[in-house]
Amino acid sequence: MDIFLAEVEKKAFRMARYAVKDSEEALDIVQEAMFMLVRKYAHKPKTEWRPLFFRILQNRIVDWHRRLGMRRRFFRESTSEGAPGAGARGPQDLHGLDAVDLATGPATSDPMVQANLDGAMDQMQQAIEALPVRQQQAFLLRTMEGMKVADTAAAMGCSEGSVKTHYSRAVRGLRNALKEHWE
């Protein structure tokens, strides 16, 4: 189990960070998902751990968004001014992401090429963050984790057709957002 958790930890953290835009919250979500997997599913065959873990992770992310929405509604309704910014999170600095793991292709020594790649990477991160949560989940599970459609459907708790739809919409949205870098 330790080996499996070490293998998925970094990717799970990135996925959670994309979804919640806060490193500390993302770390908490990943830790909760890991504890839940160990506590409730360690006895399951190893082949079932990956879809189970990502299903737990996705559920924790959805729960986090629900709690955030509840906090925002509560603070808005409990003050006459609407408590601007109460419970809201501003954009986080995502430059801490390991761009080497996210980027494809060899590194370059040309500063102009590197600057263009860095800019494209920043835009890619912003475009992924802007996706609706379900599209983001489908895209990240399929591309970053390399999960099959059936495993992604199990992790997301939906049908394979739904995964295909969310993934397709995510790719289309990313293409539109990254037109200049897509080619």
Side-chain angles (χ1 to χ4, degrees), residues 143-170:
T143 57
M144 285 181 66
E145 192 56 32
M147 293 177 81
K148 296 178 182 177
V149 174
D151 291 339
T152 303
M156 291 177 63
C158 62
S159 69
E160 291 182 25
S162 183
V163 168
K164 291 176 185 179
T165 300
H166 289 307
Y167 180 76
S168 173
R169 289 178 182 168

Side-chain angles (χ1 to χ4, degrees), residues 5 15 17-18 29 50-51 58 66 79 94 99 104 108 125 127 129 141-143 150 159 170 179:
L5 293 174
M15 293 170 97
R17 189 151 98 175
Y18 274 126
I29 289 169
R50 185 171 301 279
Q58 298 310 319
R66 284 184 188 138
T79 64
L94 295 179
T104 58
T108 179
Q125 290 171 356
E129 289 172 8
L141 288 171
R142 296 277 292 130
T143 57
S159 69
K179 286 179 185 172

Side-chain angles (χ1 to χ4, degrees), residues 93-111:
D93 177 18
L94 295 179
H95 297 289
L97 285 177
D98 189 354
V100 173
D101 288 346
L102 295 173
T104 58
T108 179
S109 60
D110 183 351

Side-chain angles (χ1 to χ4, degrees), residues 32-74:
E32 288 174 18
M34 288 179 164
F35 286 137
M36 178 73 73
L37 180 73
V38 171
R39 200 171 38 240
K40 292 193 174 188
Y41 302 105
H43 66 280
K44 295 275 189 183
K46 290 179 184 181
T47 57
E48 294 181 24
W49 290 349
R50 185 171 301 279
L52 281 169
F53 173 74
F54 284 103
R55 175 73 183 267
I56 295 166
L57 180 67
Q58 298 310 319
N59 287 341
R60 292 286 175 250
I61 290 169
V62 169
D63 289 346
W64 183 89
H65 281 285
R66 284 184 188 138
R67 284 191 307 272
L68 180 63
M70 294 286 283
R71 280 189 297 243
R72 285 181 177 167
R73 280 192 297 279
F74 174 76

Side-chain angles (χ1 to χ4, degrees), residues 124-144:
M124 177 71 156
Q125 290 171 356
Q126 291 170 1
I128 291 171
E129 289 172 8
L131 291 172
V133 173
R134 298 296 278 177
Q135 289 179 23
Q136 191 181 82
Q137 291 171 341
F139 180 78
L140 293 173
L141 288 171
R142 296 277 292 130
T143 57
M144 285 181 66

